[in-house]
Amino acid sequence: MLFSYESLKYKMQELTKNKVKYCLVGTYRDNIIKYLILALIIYEIGCNYIKPPIEIFLIGYSVITAIYCVWVSTRKMSLAITDKGYVYQKFTHFGYKPKEAFEFKKEDITYIDYHKILFINYLRISVFDKYNRFHQLKLYYGNGKSSGAFRKMKDDIKVITNEFIEMQKVLDRGDF
């Protein structure tokens, strides 16, 4: 389990030969619409075709909704800036075991979309990895104000956010 910012930085350093300067932890976005459609289908089938007693149906639907909320809330990822590029890593739902990780350079980024809603930063990056596979990273992370224990991470979040905002401006203008 991840206990501190230093252990996060150490996990990211294990993935690359380059020195990790800044890193952040957040949540990756997935296609939530398919899960909502699945919940709606289960609801419709339960109400119209199976017709169980209402108490059993409500308990079952509440359990399914709770499992869905846990599933969505445990999606974790980390993004780090190194000397020569970036490192992205997805973690498993429970715990901090690596699920997917890859390294990419600034030149490999083709599209960046950053926006902020309230206290959450939304970042979408389209990138090619070193094997020339296309990845579309959709992630969101807090601005660090709620996590008092991660003071260093607050500074790193500002640096990473400002770097991607500047890169977005360059990509939008077309000044490569």
Side-chain angles (χ1 to χ4, degrees):
M1 187 154 157
L2 187 69
F3 292 106
S4 68
Y5 174 72
E6 294 304 321
S7 63
L8 170 69
K9 213 166 187 181
Y10 179 74
K11 279 198 173 290
M12 296 304 285
Q13 187 64 51
E14 289 176 346
L15 297 173
T16 181
K17 298 175 187 173
N18 304 321
K19 184 178 183 324
V20 173
K21 294 181 182 179
Y22 310 104
C23 64
L24 62 86
V25 67
T27 304
Y28 61 91
R29 293 192 302 179
D30 200 357
N31 190 357
I32 295 176
I33 295 173
K34 65 183 173 187
Y35 298 119
L36 293 176
I37 290 173
L38 180 65
L40 183 64
I41 290 171
I42 290 171
Y43 179 77
E44 286 296 320
I45 290 172
C47 286
N48 296 330
Y49 299 109
I50 298 174
K51 295 185 182 178
I54 191 71
E55 297 85 12
I56 295 173
F57 177 74
L58 289 177
I59 290 171
Y61 196 71
S62 299
V63 168
I64 290 172
T65 304
I67 290 170
Y68 171 71
C69 289
V70 168
W71 183 260
V72 169
S73 66
T74 58
R75 298 178 299 181
K76 300 172 295 285
M77 66 89 208
S78 182
L79 180 68
I81 296 178
T82 64
D83 292 337
K84 297 182 180 179
Y86 304 96
V87 178
Y88 174 79
Q89 181 176 19
K90 273 186 189 178
F91 297 106
T92 57
H93 281 276
F94 299 104
Y96 280 88
K97 294 178 185 165
K99 183 178 177 181
E100 172 188 5
F102 61 92
E103 198 169 353
F104 58 96
K105 296 181 181 175
K106 188 175 186 177
E107 298 83 34
D108 298 334
I109 297 174
T110 58
Y111 177 76
I112 296 176
D113 181 28
Y114 170 82
H115 58 279
K116 184 176 182 175
I117 299 175
L118 296 176
F119 300 111
I120 300 174
N121 300 304
Y122 293 93
L123 183 64
R124 188 173 72 190
I125 304 169
S126 297
V127 64
F128 288 97
D129 64 2
K130 65 182 179 182
Y131 301 110
N132 228 6
R133 287 180 286 182
F134 181 74
H135 297 276
Q136 190 169 24
L137 311 176
K138 297 176 183 177
L139 49 114
Y140 57 97
Y141 54 93
N143 56 6
K145 293 191 187 318
S146 63
S147 59
F150 291 358
R151 295 192 191 279
K152 176 66 175 132
M153 190 180 290
K154 290 180 189 179
D155 298 334
D156 287 3
I157 286 171
K158 288 179 187 174
V159 170
I160 291 172
T161 302
N162 288 336
E163 181 166 333
F164 280 112
I165 288 172
E166 291 302 317
M167 286 174 49
Q168 180 183 7
K169 289 177 184 176
V170 170
L171 287 173
D172 286 348
R173 282 194 313 251
D175 299 337
F176 297 94

